[in-house]
Amino acid sequence: MPLRLYSWLANVDGMSTEPFGVLADPARRRILDLLRERPRLAGELTAAVGLSQPGTSKHLRVLREAGLVTVRPEAQRRWYELRPEPLAEIDAWLTPYRWMWAGRFDALERHLDAMEDE
Amino acid sequence: MPLRLYSWLANVDGMSTEPFGVLADPARRRILDLLRERPRLAGELTAAVGLSQPGTSKHLRVLREAGLVTVRPEAQRRWYELRPEPLAEIDAWLTPYRWMWAGRFDALERHLDAMEDE
DNA sequence: CCTGAATATGCCCTTGCGGTTATATAGCTG
DNA sequence: CAGCTATATAACCGCAAGGGCATATTCAGG
Protein backbone atom coordinates (compact mmCIF):
# COMPACT_ATOMS: atom_id res chain seq x y z
CA MET A 1 0.00 0.00 0.00
CA PRO A 2 1.59 3.20 -1.26
CA LEU A 3 1.22 5.28 1.90
CA ARG A 4 1.11 8.67 0.31
CA LEU A 5 3.40 11.00 2.16
CA TYR A 6 3.65 14.69 1.37
CA SER A 7 -0.10 15.05 1.40
CA TRP A 8 -0.22 18.84 1.39
CA LEU A 9 -2.83 19.16 -1.24
CA ALA A 10 -5.23 17.19 0.93
CA ASN A 11 -6.72 20.27 2.54
CA VAL A 12 -6.47 22.84 -0.13
CA ASP A 13 -9.94 23.85 0.89
CA GLY A 14 -8.39 24.01 4.35
CA MET A 15 -9.69 26.67 6.71
CA SER A 16 -9.38 23.83 9.17
CA THR A 17 -7.30 25.54 11.82
CA GLU A 18 -8.54 28.93 12.67
CA PRO A 19 -6.21 31.83 12.01
CA PHE A 20 -6.32 33.37 15.49
CA GLY A 21 -4.81 30.30 17.04
CA VAL A 22 -2.21 30.06 14.33
CA LEU A 23 -0.98 33.58 14.94
CA ALA A 24 -0.73 33.00 18.66
CA ASP A 25 2.74 31.56 18.19
CA PRO A 26 5.53 34.10 17.63
CA ALA A 27 7.58 31.72 15.51
CA ARG A 28 4.72 31.45 13.04
CA ARG A 29 4.26 35.20 12.93
CA ARG A 30 7.98 35.47 12.31
CA ILE A 31 7.74 33.08 9.39
CA LEU A 32 4.88 35.01 7.85
CA ASP A 33 6.81 38.26 8.24
CA LEU A 34 9.73 36.72 6.41
CA LEU A 35 7.53 35.44 3.62
CA ARG A 36 6.05 38.87 3.22
CA GLU A 37 9.23 39.93 1.49
CA ARG A 38 9.60 36.96 -0.85
CA PRO A 39 9.13 33.19 -1.04
CA ARG A 40 11.72 31.28 0.90
CA LEU A 41 13.08 27.79 1.27
CA ALA A 42 12.19 25.76 4.32
CA GLY A 43 15.86 25.77 5.21
CA GLU A 44 16.04 29.54 5.24
CA LEU A 45 13.06 29.70 7.53
CA THR A 46 14.54 27.10 9.84
CA ALA A 47 17.67 29.17 10.22
CA ALA A 48 15.68 32.34 10.75
CA VAL A 49 13.37 31.17 13.50
CA GLY A 50 16.17 29.49 15.40
CA LEU A 51 14.34 26.25 16.06
CA SER A 52 15.29 22.73 15.11
CA GLN A 53 14.52 21.67 11.56
CA PRO A 54 11.62 19.40 12.59
CA GLY A 55 10.29 22.08 14.89
CA THR A 56 10.15 24.57 12.09
CA SER A 57 8.67 21.97 9.79
CA LYS A 58 5.78 21.50 12.19
CA HIS A 59 5.06 25.20 12.27
CA LEU A 60 5.09 25.17 8.49
CA ARG A 61 2.59 22.38 8.52
CA VAL A 62 0.27 24.39 10.74
CA LEU A 63 0.59 27.37 8.44
CA ARG A 64 -0.15 25.17 5.41
CA GLU A 65 -3.20 23.64 7.01
CA ALA A 66 -4.48 27.09 7.88
CA GLY A 67 -4.02 28.09 4.26
CA LEU A 68 -1.57 30.82 5.17
CA VAL A 69 1.23 29.47 3.01
CA THR A 70 1.55 27.39 -0.11
CA VAL A 71 4.41 25.14 -1.08
CA ARG A 72 6.14 24.68 -4.37
CA PRO A 73 8.47 21.66 -4.49
CA GLU A 74 11.71 22.01 -6.41
CA ALA A 75 13.72 18.82 -6.25
CA GLN A 76 14.23 18.24 -2.54
CA ARG A 77 13.70 21.88 -1.74
CA ARG A 78 10.42 23.42 -0.72
CA TRP A 79 9.61 26.98 -1.61
CA TYR A 80 7.18 28.46 0.83
CA GLU A 81 5.05 31.34 -0.32
CA LEU A 82 2.77 33.61 1.64
CA ARG A 83 -0.97 33.36 1.14
CA PRO A 84 -2.47 36.20 3.15
CA GLU A 85 -6.16 35.58 2.44
CA PRO A 86 -6.96 33.92 5.78
CA LEU A 87 -5.71 37.03 7.54
CA ALA A 88 -8.78 38.76 6.20
CA GLU A 89 -10.79 36.95 8.83
CA ILE A 90 -8.75 38.55 11.58
CA ASP A 91 -8.94 41.88 9.86
CA ALA A 92 -12.70 41.54 9.67
CA TRP A 93 -12.98 40.70 13.35
CA LEU A 94 -10.82 43.68 14.18
CA THR A 95 -12.76 46.11 12.03
CA PRO A 96 -15.53 47.12 14.44
CA TYR A 97 -12.88 47.86 17.08
CA ARG A 98 -10.57 49.88 14.91
CA TRP A 99 -12.17 53.29 15.31
CA MET A 100 -12.13 52.92 19.08
CA TRP A 101 -8.55 53.48 20.05
CA ALA A 102 -8.03 56.57 17.94
CA GLY A 103 -7.44 59.29 20.49
CA ARG A 104 -10.40 58.45 22.65
CA PHE A 105 -10.56 59.22 26.35
CA ASP A 106 -9.30 55.90 27.53
CA ALA A 107 -11.37 53.83 29.93
CA LEU A 108 -8.33 53.11 32.03
CA GLU A 109 -7.52 56.81 32.30
CA ARG A 110 -11.10 57.47 33.33
CA HIS A 111 -10.78 54.77 35.91
CA LEU A 112 -7.58 56.12 37.40
CA ASP A 113 -8.83 59.68 37.33
CA ALA A 114 -11.90 58.60 39.20
CA MET A 115 -9.72 56.99 41.84
CA GLU A 116 -7.79 60.21 42.40
CA ASP A 117 -11.03 61.98 43.18
CA GLU A 118 -11.43 59.90 46.32
CA MET B 1 -1.20 39.98 57.24
CA PRO B 2 -4.04 41.41 55.17
CA LEU B 3 -3.65 39.16 52.10
CA ARG B 4 -5.02 41.53 49.55
CA LEU B 5 -7.39 39.72 47.29
CA TYR B 6 -8.90 41.34 44.25
CA SER B 7 -5.56 42.63 43.16
CA TRP B 8 -6.59 43.79 39.71
CA LEU B 9 -4.81 47.06 39.86
CA ALA B 10 -1.54 45.19 40.31
CA ASN B 11 -0.73 45.24 36.63
CA VAL B 12 -2.36 48.36 35.44
CA ASP B 13 0.74 48.88 33.35
CA GLY B 14 -0.03 45.36 32.19
CA MET B 15 0.93 44.42 28.63
CA SER B 16 2.08 41.26 30.35
CA THR B 17 0.21 38.72 28.27
CA GLU B 18 0.44 39.36 24.61
CA PRO B 19 -2.76 40.08 22.76
CA PHE B 20 -2.37 37.45 20.04
CA GLY B 21 -2.47 34.66 22.55
CA VAL B 22 -5.40 36.21 24.35
CA LEU B 23 -7.48 36.34 21.20
CA ALA B 24 -6.72 32.74 20.37
CA ASP B 25 -9.57 31.63 22.60
CA PRO B 26 -13.06 32.00 21.10
CA ALA B 27 -14.70 32.57 24.49
CA ARG B 28 -12.51 35.60 25.03
CA ARG B 29 -13.28 36.98 21.59
CA ARG B 30 -16.95 36.46 22.36
CA ILE B 31 -16.62 38.46 25.57
CA LEU B 32 -14.89 41.31 23.80
CA ASP B 33 -17.57 41.33 21.13
CA LEU B 34 -20.23 41.62 23.81
CA LEU B 35 -18.39 44.43 25.55
CA ARG B 36 -18.15 46.30 22.28
CA GLU B 37 -21.81 47.18 22.64
CA ARG B 38 -21.77 48.27 26.27
CA PRO B 39 -20.22 47.44 29.66
CA ARG B 40 -21.63 44.31 31.20
CA LEU B 41 -21.74 42.49 34.50
CA ALA B 42 -19.62 39.40 34.98
CA GLY B 43 -22.82 37.45 35.38
CA GLU B 44 -24.14 38.52 32.02
CA LEU B 45 -20.91 37.44 30.39
CA THR B 46 -20.98 34.10 32.17
CA ALA B 47 -24.42 33.40 30.81
CA ALA B 48 -23.43 34.50 27.34
CA VAL B 49 -20.31 32.39 26.90
CA GLY B 50 -21.97 29.28 28.29
CA LEU B 51 -19.14 28.29 30.58
CA SER B 52 -19.20 27.81 34.32
CA GLN B 53 -18.97 30.93 36.47
CA PRO B 54 -15.38 30.20 37.55
CA GLY B 55 -14.42 29.36 34.00
CA THR B 56 -15.66 32.68 32.73
CA SER B 57 -14.03 34.45 35.63
CA LYS B 58 -10.69 33.04 34.60
CA HIS B 59 -11.10 34.29 31.05
CA LEU B 60 -11.95 37.69 32.48
CA ARG B 61 -8.76 37.61 34.48
CA VAL B 62 -6.74 36.94 31.36
CA LEU B 63 -8.45 39.82 29.60
CA ARG B 64 -7.78 42.11 32.55
CA GLU B 65 -4.12 41.18 32.69
CA ALA B 66 -3.81 41.82 28.99
CA GLY B 67 -5.31 45.25 29.53
CA LEU B 68 -8.23 44.48 27.24
CA VAL B 69 -10.89 45.14 29.84
CA THR B 70 -11.23 47.24 32.97
CA VAL B 71 -13.43 46.54 35.96
CA ARG B 72 -15.63 48.83 38.00
CA PRO B 73 -16.85 47.29 41.24
CA GLU B 74 -20.38 48.06 42.32
CA ALA B 75 -21.25 46.30 45.55
CA GLN B 76 -20.73 42.62 44.77
CA ARG B 77 -21.17 43.22 41.07
CA ARG B 78 -18.37 43.82 38.63
CA TRP B 79 -18.92 45.95 35.58
CA TYR B 80 -16.57 44.96 32.82
CA GLU B 81 -15.72 47.54 30.22
CA LEU B 82 -13.86 47.16 26.94
CA ARG B 83 -10.43 48.72 26.59
CA PRO B 84 -9.46 48.22 22.95
CA GLU B 85 -6.00 49.82 23.03
CA PRO B 86 -4.03 46.56 23.07
CA LEU B 87 -5.77 45.53 19.87
CA ALA B 88 -3.75 48.21 18.17
CA GLU B 89 -0.76 45.92 18.37
CA ILE B 90 -2.55 43.30 16.31
CA ASP B 91 -3.77 45.91 13.92
CA ALA B 92 -0.23 47.14 13.50
CA TRP B 93 1.08 43.67 12.79
CA LEU B 94 -1.65 43.15 10.25
CA THR B 95 -1.06 46.43 8.46
CA PRO B 96 1.70 45.42 6.05
CA TYR B 97 -0.43 42.47 4.94
CA ARG B 98 -3.64 44.33 4.46
CA TRP B 99 -3.13 45.47 0.89
CA MET B 100 -2.25 41.96 -0.20
CA TRP B 101 -5.55 40.16 -0.27
CA ALA B 102 -7.40 42.86 -2.15
CA GLY B 103 -8.22 41.20 -5.46
CA ARG B 104 -4.79 39.91 -6.10
CA PHE B 105 -4.10 36.89 -8.24
CA ASP B 106 -3.98 34.38 -5.43
CA ALA B 107 -0.94 32.21 -4.93
CA LEU B 108 -3.11 29.17 -4.46
CA GLU B 109 -4.95 29.86 -7.71
CA ARG B 110 -1.63 30.22 -9.46
CA HIS B 111 -0.55 26.95 -7.95
CA LEU B 112 -3.64 25.07 -9.05
CA ASP B 113 -3.60 26.65 -12.49
CA ALA B 114 -0.02 25.55 -12.89
CA MET B 115 -1.01 22.00 -11.98
CA GLU B 116 -3.67 21.94 -14.68
CA ASP B 117 -1.07 22.76 -17.27
CA GLU B 118 0.62 19.42 -16.69
C1' DC C 1 -25.31 38.58 62.92
C1' DC C 2 -26.96 35.49 59.43
C1' DT C 3 -28.14 34.50 54.83
C1' DG C 4 -27.94 34.77 50.07
C1' DA C 5 -25.97 36.78 45.87
C1' DA C 6 -22.09 37.78 42.98
C1' DT C 7 -17.57 36.88 41.91
C1' DA C 8 -12.72 35.48 42.46
C1' DT C 9 -9.26 31.65 43.79
C1' DG C 10 -7.47 27.08 44.76
C1' DC C 11 -7.07 22.56 43.36
C1' DC C 12 -7.37 18.86 40.21
C1' DC C 13 -7.51 16.70 35.83
C1' DT C 14 -7.09 16.17 30.96
C1' DT C 15 -5.64 17.62 26.66
C1' DG C 16 -2.98 19.83 23.31
C1' DC C 17 1.07 22.42 22.03
C1' DG C 18 5.61 23.29 21.24
C1' DG C 19 10.11 21.42 21.49
C1' DT C 20 13.63 17.70 20.76
C1' DT C 21 15.78 13.44 18.83
C1' DA C 22 15.51 9.64 15.73
C1' DT C 23 13.91 8.01 11.44
C1' DA C 24 11.76 7.86 6.85
C1' DT C 25 11.23 9.72 2.17
C1' DA C 26 12.64 11.96 -2.10
C1' DG C 27 15.68 13.48 -5.28
C1' DC C 28 20.43 14.93 -6.73
C1' DT C 29 25.10 13.39 -7.96
C1' DG C 30 29.10 10.58 -8.45
C1' DC D 1 23.48 1.95 -6.64
C1' DA D 2 25.65 4.62 -2.78
C1' DG D 3 25.83 8.50 -0.40
C1' DC D 4 24.49 13.29 0.52
C1' DT D 5 21.06 16.96 1.05
C1' DA D 6 16.63 18.74 2.18
C1' DT D 7 12.56 18.08 4.41
C1' DA D 8 8.65 15.68 6.48
C1' DT D 9 6.89 12.20 10.19
C1' DA D 10 7.01 9.49 14.32
C1' DA D 11 7.67 8.97 19.04
C1' DC D 12 8.22 11.07 23.21
C1' DC D 13 8.10 14.65 26.87
C1' DG D 14 7.16 18.67 29.88
C1' DC D 15 4.24 22.14 30.64
C1' DA D 16 0.71 25.34 30.46
C1' DA D 17 -4.11 26.16 29.11
C1' DG D 18 -8.74 25.45 29.74
C1' DG D 19 -12.44 23.22 32.02
C1' DG D 20 -14.94 21.72 36.26
C1' DC D 21 -16.06 21.67 41.38
C1' DA D 22 -15.37 23.32 45.95
C1' DT D 23 -14.33 27.21 48.65
C1' DA D 24 -13.34 31.97 50.07
C1' DT D 25 -14.48 36.76 49.98
C1' DT D 26 -17.37 40.82 49.86
C1' DC D 27 -21.45 43.05 50.39
C1' DA D 28 -26.53 43.96 50.78
C1' DG D 29 -30.59 43.09 53.41
C1' DG D 30 -33.61 41.06 56.85
Side-chain angles (χ1 to χ4, degrees), chain A residues 7-23 28 31-32 35 58-71 80-90, chain B residues 93 97 100-101 104-112:
Chain A
S7 52
W8 319 300
L9 292 181
N11 41 343
V12 144
D13 33 50
M15 309 299 108
S16 45
T17 320
E18 71 154 300
F20 284 96
V22 175
L23 290 199
R28 291 194 287 260
I31 290 174
L32 292 179
L35 294 182
K58 283 210 281 188
H59 283 301
L60 290 173
R61 182 213 262 264
V62 172
L63 289 168
R64 283 194 316 260
E65 292 179 346
L68 278 161
V69 298
T70 46
V71 197
Y80 277 87
E81 183 167 358
L82 179 62
R83 182 170 169 272
E85 278 72 7
L87 296 179
E89 181 178 331
I90 297 185
Chain B
W93 184 86
Y97 294 88
M100 293 184 176
W101 62 79
R104 77 179 184 118
F105 190 28
D106 182 41
L108 184 57
E109 292 171 32
R110 261 204 311 284
H111 183 66
L112 295 179

Side-chain angles (χ1 to χ4, degrees), chain A residues 31-112:
Chain A
I31 290 174
L32 292 179
D33 283 337
L34 288 166
L35 294 182
R36 197 150 41 78
E37 190 184 341
R38 57 180 173 79
R40 300 190 187 252
L41 290 173
E44 285 182 74
L45 298 171
T46 298
V49 300
L51 293 182
S52 66
Q53 179 267 315
T56 309
S57 188
K58 283 210 281 188
H59 283 301
L60 290 173
R61 182 213 262 264
V62 172
L63 289 168
R64 283 194 316 260
E65 292 179 346
L68 278 161
V69 298
T70 46
V71 197
R72 185 166 45 84
E74 181 189 276
Q76 325 95 352
R77 328 282 196 69
R78 298 290 178 261
W79 287 100
Y80 277 87
E81 183 167 358
L82 179 62
R83 182 170 169 272
E85 278 72 7
L87 296 179
E89 181 178 331
I90 297 185
D91 192 56
W93 183 86
L94 216 50
T95 296
Y97 294 88
R98 198 168 292 118
W99 65 275
M100 294 186 177
W101 63 77
R104 75 174 184 124
F105 190 28
D106 182 40
L108 184 57
E109 293 171 31
R110 262 204 310 285
H111 184 65
L112 296 180

